[in-house]
Amino acid sequence: MKLWKIRVHQILNEADTRPGLIYEYILFGFIWLVVTSVALESVRTIEEHYGLLLFIIQLIVLACFITEYFLRIIIPNQPLKYIFSFYGILDLLAILALSSVFFEYKLHFLVVVRILRFLRVFKVLKFRQLREESNALLNALKQSGNKILIFVFSFVLLCTCFGTIMYLIEPEESGFTSIPKGIYWCIVTLTTVGYGDITPLTVAGKTIASFIMVIGYGVIAVSALIVTSEANKHLSEEEKVSNTQTCSHCLESDHKDGALYCHACGNSLKDV
Amino acid sequence: MKLWKIRVHQILNEADTRPGLIYEYILFGFIWLVVTSVALESVRTIEEHYGLLLFIIQLIVLACFITEYFLRIIIPNQPLKYIFSFYGILDLLAILALSSVFFEYKLHFLVVVRILRFLRVFKVLKFRQLREESNALLNALKQSGNKILIFVFSFVLLCTCFGTIMYLIEPEESGFTSIPKGIYWCIVTLTTVGYGDITPLTVAGKTIASFIMVIGYGVIAVSALIVTSEANKHLSEEEKVSNTQTCSHCLESDHKDGALYCHACGNSLKDV
Amino acid sequence: MKLWKIRVHQILNEADTRPGLIYEYILFGFIWLVVTSVALESVRTIEEHYGLLLFIIQLIVLACFITEYFLRIIIPNQPLKYIFSFYGILDLLAILALSSVFFEYKLHFLVVVRILRFLRVFKVLKFRQLREESNALLNALKQSGNKILIFVFSFVLLCTCFGTIMYLIEPEESGFTSIPKGIYWCIVTLTTVGYGDITPLTVAGKTIASFIMVIGYGVIAVSALIVTSEANKHLSEEEKVSNTQTCSHCLESDHKDGALYCHACGNSLKDV
Amino acid sequence: MKLWKIRVHQILNEADTRPGLIYEYILFGFIWLVVTSVALESVRTIEEHYGLLLFIIQLIVLACFITEYFLRIIIPNQPLKYIFSFYGILDLLAILALSSVFFEYKLHFLVVVRILRFLRVFKVLKFRQLREESNALLNALKQSGNKILIFVFSFVLLCTCFGTIMYLIEPEESGFTSIPKGIYWCIVTLTTVGYGDITPLTVAGKTIASFIMVIGYGVIAVSALIVTSEANKHLSEEEKVSNTQTCSHCLESDHKDGALYCHACGNSLKDV
């Protein structure tokens, strides 16, 4: 491998080094630039006035993305590995999406997928602390995978049942024109989002709706309350333990409530 | 009992065996199929174009359900036990509901009750881990039954009181046309769903509404905050505790609680 | 005190005894009856058809309430103590409110205050378990009184500031016609209720609104996430500790990570 | 420094002393007065009737604020330190904002910034307990700074992606007229606020919306559920652990972890 190849490889992939880190920041800048330009272009008034400027920005960024893509293919010994990797496909999609600025379709908005590359941030992170936190969170997610599965499953069951019932009860005027709409409404209500585009009008519908809301809120509120009072109970128990006797023999003071003999040396606690 | 009876019994009831598990999956497939077909039928445009197809699917599933129901009655020695069990009644209801496709009523939508059979999933689950998680959750629910009772009771009290007050304060135009509507609005607000179909218009009404919202949010937010700072306090205390004794020999200070000898050099900690 | 007085006193006040408990249940029945009748009367269609029936029910309940009130005054030696107690005032208010059925005002709806007597449920509760739970919750609330104070204070500050800013930014059409309305909107948003009767229309307003929403959601979500990962970290730490060495001398197995000597007997762990 | 200067300095800055505390309360009174008067002035009907009264109140408070500002500059030896401190700038801004009552602009509403001075409450607090709580909360916030960073970052990523997708999927009629609006809608939905000013109309849009809602709710609900069942598991484990060793002498079995002697009879537990 030639020296310039090693150099470019280092810049592209090794965010630990200084040039690699700088490249990383520039890349992030470019991505935000193109995402912002695409977002602004979708606003009609801005598009009318600054359309050309945004078009030029997108062209420049497109050129940079293409250059980067080819460099990433040319440099390593196994180009296929990059092409079929998650980030490789993402980069290609972003280029294809952005290329559509030349055509009629408004698919270039999809360049937004490239911000998913920001997920790399979690890998690149220099700060050891942040990396650990991130791992702790992911770990917590993984360890509780089964609980999440049960949760989602119960959620789907509940929404299907109540969505159908609401469709049967409510008249057409209230917006429950089909079962899928009922299920959609049930999700909106159970998650406490509550748009208000579909709302029950009959007494029976409102009663069931109230019931669903209380479930949705209760899952969070009751859980929070249980944990709180549990935490406080735990705290007061600990305080109880720390207020007890001290052994006159070995000066051990952390005894069980109602202990008669020191658990460390066997001396009687009462003799004191 | 004849051999085929034993075989069918195994398929129908013993999800531990291979054929039982396959049957289980097929049953789930059928239930989702009929629920989806019924849900799609409720959408007018789909019903107009694919009505016949959906009708045929429902007929086939109905035939399968009836076959299964009779098999479940014929096979065991005590057929009554199944008929009056929770799942037996559920299955019968599903068949009756689905049978209404031949009549004018749109009751066949109620076949959706059969997805409650999916609750069996929790019992059938092969994966020991998931079963334990499920039990842990149910246990947590059972242990805190009283807290939930208090919660629901306070909730009802609060909603009744504030619902009445809002009815008295607000004019008819704002939607508070009766006390039950006021209670409904109170539930919508307290659970932070907030449809917006009924909203207070007067200053007094808005003030009370703000108060209710803060309660609804506070129950969750304050609980969450308390637990968080409690957890952090706990953490820092633990760190403090582990820094107590210092070994006089090697100056190691991070010993276990109640350690008698230094874990780094074996010197007695008590001799100090 | 005569025997019948003792008897009545027992019924009215001692819910521990059998007659007292029965009276308690009957009283609760009456309160729910009058609250329900008053709630139904507020619905116009029901009032038109069953107005007389509801009126008679309210008359009967009123008679019972008055009888009970006088009995409670006559029986004990210190009648003033009851009259000026919380429940005494509540009972009087309920009677006065209900008396207004004879007049033009619709104040009899206020009889609903009497359901606050249900708060006594928490005191009367026969089940020791539920009483403890209730105390644990109240205790948790009391212990964290200061945190709640800080929370409410920060909440008020935030809403006042952002409410004013939104009033200055947003045009009249979006509903922010005065600062109090801005504050009201801020409370609706921060608590994630979101009626949608007032919504920002300008870009700046939407940006600030997004910011407020993220705060409102973040307080709950971040707290919940922190506690979760903390709980998991704690769990995995415990697992680490329990997978370590066993001392060959005293068979103590619960050593610190990387311990060289047994903390219980001082024997070298490496020699094993 | 002259005596009156020392006196005034004490009043202005030392909230520990009696006069300082009184001054503190008066200042708070004035701030609330002007904030309330400004808030009321923004309500048109009140402004028409009591405009002059509110104007006079604001003038008086303005005079007081200016007096206080100059006193704070004159008294100490380093006036610049106060002028460029956070509270100094805040006070100046409040005076400038309030001065605009003489002009056409409605900037005097900005006097509301002065309530940020209430943040000093946390510093001034006499009650040691409340100060500790406040510190615990701030500490918890600081320690979890990284988690919050990850949270906000993921939040932004999610909203940008889904906002763009919704813009591409939904027709103009549903309100998704630009990508920024899509992002705004996504924030409103993910935080479970749900105004309902922009709602999806297509089936695909509703499906994605449901997905976003479940994420928004799931982050809180799943976290809460995990912690709850974790707390309960922990509780039952603790009970298990304490039932390990049994004393051979008195058969007491509920010993502390690591106990060497029975706490009930003093017999050695190891001899067993």
Side-chain angles (χ1 to χ4, degrees), chain B residues 143-144 146-147 149-151 153-154 156-158 160-161 164-165 167-168 170 172 177-180 183 185 188-189 191-201 205-207 209-211 213-214 217-218 220-222 224-235 238 242 252 254-267, chain C residues 32 35 38-44 106-107 109-110 112-113 115-116 118-119 121-122 125 129-130 133-134 136-137 140 144 147-148 151-152 155 181 184 187-198 215-220 222-224 226-227 230 233-234 237 241 252 254-267 269:
Chain B
Q143 273 191 26
S144 47
N146 289 331
K147 272 167 197 154
L149 215 146
I150 293 177
F151 172 78
F153 189 80
S154 313
V156 170
L157 271 193
L158 218 66
T160 315
C161 281
T164 308
I165 293 170
Y167 166 68
L168 291 174
E170 285 289 317
E172 293 252 321
T177 51
S178 67
I179 291 181
I183 294 172
W185 169 85
V188 171
T189 302
T191 55
T192 77
V193 171
Y195 284 135
D197 49 349
I198 309 172
T199 48
L201 293 178
K206 280 180 179 169
T207 311
S210 304
F211 187 66
M213 285 171 218
V214 174
Y217 180 70
I220 300 176
V222 170
L225 283 177
I226 290 172
V227 179
T228 315
S229 71
E230 214 70 75
N232 276 284
K233 206 187 277 179
H234 207 267
L235 203 77
E238 268 175 22
S242 55
E252 170 72 29
D254 186 24
H255 299 290
K256 266 183 69 80
D257 289 321
L260 299 175
Y261 295 90
C262 173
H263 70 88
C265 68
N267 206 44
Chain C
W32 272 133
V35 167
V38 144
L40 290 177
E41 200 191 319
S42 71
V43 184
R44 199 163 305 157
K106 54 173 186 168
L107 286 174
F109 293 130
L110 281 175
V112 98
V113 295
I115 67 164
L116 287 182
F118 286 1
L119 289 178
V121 171
F122 294 116
L125 289 168
Q129 182 70 33
L130 188 46
E133 301 287 354
S134 162
L137 266 181
S144 47
K147 273 167 196 154
I148 293 171
F151 172 77
V152 169
F155 196 90
K181 265 205 178 158
Y184 170 69
I187 294 171
V188 171
T189 301
L190 200 54
T191 56
T192 78
V193 171
Y195 284 135
D197 49 349
I198 310 172
I215 291 177
Y217 180 70
V219 166
I220 300 176
V222 170
S223 300
I226 290 172
V227 180
E230 213 70 75
K233 206 187 279 180
H234 208 268
E237 261 169 32
V241 168
E252 170 73 29
D254 186 25
H255 298 292
K256 269 182 67 80
D257 289 321
L260 299 175
Y261 295 90
C262 172
H263 71 88
C265 69
N267 205 44
L269 291 169

Side-chain angles (χ1 to χ4, degrees), chain A residues 18-79:
Chain A
R18 230 189 119 77
L21 196 63
I22 291 166
Y23 163 75
E24 203 72 36
Y25 281 124
I26 292 172
L27 182 63
F28 285 179
F30 266 83
I31 294 176
W32 271 132
L33 188 70
V34 74
V35 166
T36 311
S37 87
V38 145
L40 289 177
E41 200 190 319
S42 71
V43 184
R44 198 163 307 155
T45 52
I46 294 178
E47 204 270 326
E48 278 165 12
H49 288 86
Y50 306 98
L52 193 69
L53 177 68
L54 296 173
F55 182 72
I56 291 168
I57 288 174
Q58 286 166 23
L59 276 198
I60 294 170
V61 173
L62 179 58
C64 295
F65 279 7
I66 292 173
T67 316
E68 187 213 2
Y69 190 70
F70 278 105
L71 276 178
R72 278 190 191 274
I73 291 175
I74 294 165
I75 301 298
N77 295 324
Q78 311 125 303

Side-chain angles (χ1 to χ4, degrees), chain D residues 31-252:
Chain D
I31 294 176
W32 272 132
L33 187 72
V34 74
V35 166
T36 311
S37 87
V38 144
L40 289 177
E41 199 191 319
S42 71
V43 184
R44 199 163 306 156
T45 53
I46 294 178
E47 205 270 325
E48 278 165 12
H49 289 85
Y50 306 97
L52 192 68
L53 177 70
L54 295 172
F55 182 72
I56 292 167
I57 288 175
Q58 286 166 23
L59 276 198
I60 295 171
V61 173
L62 179 57
C64 296
F65 278 7
I66 291 172
T67 317
E68 188 213 1
Y69 190 69
F70 278 105
L71 277 178
R72 278 190 191 272
I73 291 175
I74 295 165
I75 301 298
N77 294 325
Q78 311 124 304
L80 287 174
K81 199 180 151 197
Y82 165 69
I83 291 172
F84 293 108
S85 72
F86 175 64
Y87 291 118
I89 293 166
L90 221 61
D91 291 355
L92 187 61
L93 280 177
I95 290 170
L96 289 178
L98 204 51
S99 304
S100 72
V101 289
F102 297 113
F103 308 101
E104 290 281 297
Y105 314 107
K106 55 174 185 167
L107 286 174
H108 63 292
F109 293 129
L110 281 174
V111 72
V112 99
V113 295
R114 233 206 136 165
I115 67 164
L116 286 182
R117 200 171 237 289
F118 286 0
L119 289 177
R120 254 189 80 199
V121 171
F122 294 115
K123 274 195 195 144
V124 174
L125 288 169
K126 290 285 85 57
F127 318 101
R128 186 176 141 279
Q129 183 70 33
L130 187 46
R131 210 182 209 128
E132 262 174 23
E133 301 288 354
S134 162
N135 280 340
L137 267 180
L138 283 176
N139 233 27
L141 218 68
K142 214 183 288 170
Q143 274 190 26
S144 47
N146 289 330
K147 274 166 195 155
I148 294 170
L149 215 145
I150 293 177
F151 172 77
V152 170
F153 189 79
S154 313
F155 196 90
V156 170
L157 271 193
L158 218 64
C159 286
T160 315
C161 281
F162 280 113
T164 307
I165 292 170
M166 288 304 280
Y167 166 68
L168 291 174
I169 288 175
E170 285 289 318
E172 294 253 321
E173 300 92 75
S174 53
F176 293 88
T177 51
S178 66
I179 291 181
K181 266 205 178 157
I183 294 172
Y184 170 69
W185 169 86
C186 198
I187 293 171
V188 170
T189 302
L190 201 55
T191 56
T192 78
V193 171
Y195 285 134
D197 50 349
I198 309 173
T199 47
L201 293 177
T202 64
V203 173
K206 280 179 180 170
T207 312
I208 293 173
S210 304
F211 187 65
I212 297 173
M213 286 171 216
V214 174
I215 290 176
Y217 180 70
V219 166
I220 300 176
V222 171
S223 300
L225 283 177
I226 290 172
V227 180
T228 316
S229 71
E230 213 70 75
N232 276 283
K233 205 186 280 180
H234 207 268
L235 204 76
S236 49
E237 258 169 34
E238 267 175 22
E239 279 164 11
K240 253 187 258 165
V241 168
S242 55
N243 291 325
T244 40
Q245 298 169 294
T246 305
C247 172
S248 62
H249 192 73
C250 68
L251 299 176
E252 170 73 29

